[in-house]
Amino acid sequence: MPAVTDHRTVTTKTARKAIQACFNAKRPVFLWGPPGIGKSELVASITRDMGGHMIDLRLGQMDPTDIRGIPFYNKDTGKMDWAPPMDLPDAELASQYPIIVLFMDELNGAPPAVQSAAYQLVLDRRVGKYCLPDNVVMVAAGNRESDKGVTYRMPTPLANRFVHLEVRPDFAAWQEWAVMNDVSEDVIGYLSVAKQDLHDFDPKSSSRSFATPRSWVFVDELIKQDLDDATLTDLIAGTIGEGLAVKFMAHRKIAGKLPKAEDVLSGKVTDLEIKEPSAMYSLVVSMCYELRDAVREKKVSDEQFHKMADHFFGYMMKNFETEITVMGARIALTQYDLPLKPAKIKNFDEFYKRFGKYILNA
């Protein structure tokens, strides 16, 4: 369930379209939201997709001179002049990319003096003699006052210059991102059932660790190392909290008893004895990864690939509930856009007859 808020909220997926529209209009955007939901990664991803370059300014760690520059004596004019900061893009850098994204993170966490220095840059696209190149767009981000982080009230004229978007955590949007970025099938499988555990940040809690999309990525990095269960549990508890760590490790223990994805896709395994939903989600994601890698790395011939795909659809129809089956097909057909030829897949007609309408609606 999304957090209760007095403001209209958007997911990272819908925010992407809105941010791109603001870029086209050269309107500065301010992204609000709790910590760890991927605001900076969202901006970085949009920048990459547009072939641009992002400059990340952490305003909460800066002094006013980091934006305004420092004064120096200009011997040619006999007057005081200003040396612009190196962090801001010059014309030479701007000429190398179709777009430069100036990302001002922690803007409302910066002291008033730093916000004042940023004021002219946002309002007038210039500071002193320095002017932003035409292809520079601006995005700022910060936590809400209710998140209990270090924040300062933003001056009203500065706030009025931004288009404000409040981003909320959303499992569907995160899952799409996760399967495109090789997040462990164990993490995706667990959260596919326990969606509420994707983000359990409570600003009133005294807990040092809590679950966010960002901290689940940390969990993903930890479980990909060769660690014993006791050490891994300690580290995961220190990442997402003890309660969730125990639940997640129990899920991994069950998921570890499932057949290997390659054995299912080769046709060696056709049955499924363990019916734990989170484990089944893990298995279907693992099969999708295996199919994708077979194409990406050209591990098999076209004929072998379609035999794997045939086993994929047949196994899901035989052993999985509709929701899990539809998720697997959506990842393979829509997100990975695998080169599947229905005529070469024996089980495809039956699959489409039973589940086609769900895939189209998804």
Side-chain angles (χ1 to χ4, degrees), residues 64-77:
T65 53
D66 293 328
I67 299 175
R68 180 70 173 86
I70 60 173
F72 71 96
Y73 175 71
N74 188 327
K75 64 180 180 179
D76 295 328
T77 63

Side-chain angles (χ1 to χ4, degrees), residues 36 43 47 64 74 144 209 226 232 245 271 334 351:
V43 177
T47 305
N74 188 327
R144 306 160 300 182
S209 52
D226 186 18
L232 187 58
D271 296 317
T334 305
F351 170 81

Side-chain angles (χ1 to χ4, degrees), residues 6-281:
D6 294 330
H7 306 283
R8 183 183 181 90
T9 61
V10 296
T11 68
T12 53
K13 185 175 182 178
T14 52
R16 176 181 291 270
K17 296 179 181 178
I19 293 169
Q20 289 173 329
C22 289
F23 283 179
N24 293 335
K26 290 188 178 180
R27 292 296 179 189
V29 185
F30 197 109
L31 300 179
W32 299 88
I37 62 171
K39 298 185 292 292
S40 57
E41 170 57 30
L42 172 62
V43 177
S45 174
I46 295 172
T47 305
R48 288 193 299 269
D49 290 347
M50 299 181 74
H53 175 71
M54 187 175 88
I55 298 174
D56 191 344
L57 298 180
R58 302 280 166 162
L59 267 66
Q61 304 170 20
M62 298 177 72
D63 293 321
T65 53
D66 293 328
I67 299 175
R68 180 70 173 86
I70 60 173
F72 71 96
Y73 175 71
N74 188 327
K75 64 180 180 179
D76 295 328
T77 63
K79 298 179 181 179
M80 185 187 76
D81 208 337
W82 287 87
M86 291 185 63
D87 288 334
L88 296 178
D90 56 20
E92 180 181 357
L93 178 65
S95 67
Q96 300 174 27
Y97 300 93
I99 188 171
I100 301 287
V101 177
L102 188 61
F103 181 52
M104 295 172 284
D105 203 2
E106 304 171 359
L107 176 56
N108 64 328
V114 177
Q115 290 193 37
S116 296
Y119 185 96
Q120 187 183 15
L121 186 65
V122 175
L123 267 63
D124 301 327
R125 295 180 60 86
R126 63 179 297 154
V127 177
K129 292 183 178 180
Y130 169 81
C131 294
L132 285 173
D134 288 340
N135 64 334
V136 175
V137 295
M138 289 176 280
V139 184
N143 298 138
R144 306 160 300 182
E145 291 182 14
S146 59
D147 294 324
K148 304 300 182 183
V150 177
T151 59
Y152 297 88
R153 184 171 295 277
M154 191 185 305
T156 302
L158 179 59
N160 189 242
R161 182 66 176 183
F162 286 103
V163 174
H164 296 268
L165 298 173
E166 182 163 330
V167 185
R168 70 175 186 270
D170 176 76
F171 174 76
W174 178 86
Q175 185 189 64
E176 286 190 23
W177 173 88
V179 297
M180 297 302 293
N181 287 272
D182 296 320
V183 172
S184 166
E185 60 270 17
D186 283 345
V187 172
I188 298 174
Y190 172 78
L191 291 174
S192 293
V193 173
K195 297 178 177 64
Q196 71 281 358
D197 291 343
L198 174 65
H199 188 270
D200 74 344
F201 171 64
D202 180 1
K204 298 179 181 178
S205 173
S206 60
S207 176
R208 298 186 184 93
S209 52
F210 49 89
T212 67
R214 176 169 57 201
S215 59
W216 278 111
V217 172
F218 296 163
V219 172
D220 171 62
E221 294 168 351
L222 291 170
I223 64 177
K224 289 176 178 175
Q225 300 184 46
D226 186 18
L227 300 171
D228 61 85
D229 283 353
T231 301
L232 187 58
T233 302
D234 289 341
L235 290 172
I236 293 177
T239 303
I240 57 175
E242 184 174 1
L244 291 187
V246 172
K247 290 166 60 179
F248 176 71
M249 291 300 289
H251 154 75
R252 287 197 80 215
K253 186 175 182 179
I254 297 173
K257 298 177 182 179
L258 292 176
K260 294 182 179 180
E262 53 264 36
D263 290 340
V264 173
L265 297 178
S266 68
K268 292 180 181 179
V269 176
T270 59
D271 296 317
L272 181 65
E273 296 180 1
I274 298 174
K275 299 295 184 177
E276 169 61 37
S278 66
M280 289 192 286
Y281 273 109

Side-chain angles (χ1 to χ4, degrees), residues 293-301:
D293 291 346
V295 173
R296 179 187 293 174
E297 301 172 16
K298 299 180 179 179
K299 292 180 177 180
V300 297
S301 66

Side-chain angles (χ1 to χ4, degrees), residues 319-332:
N319 297 289
F320 295 156
E321 298 294 332
T322 298
E323 184 178 351
I324 302 176
T325 302
V326 169
M327 186 193 82
R330 177 175 53 79
I331 294 172

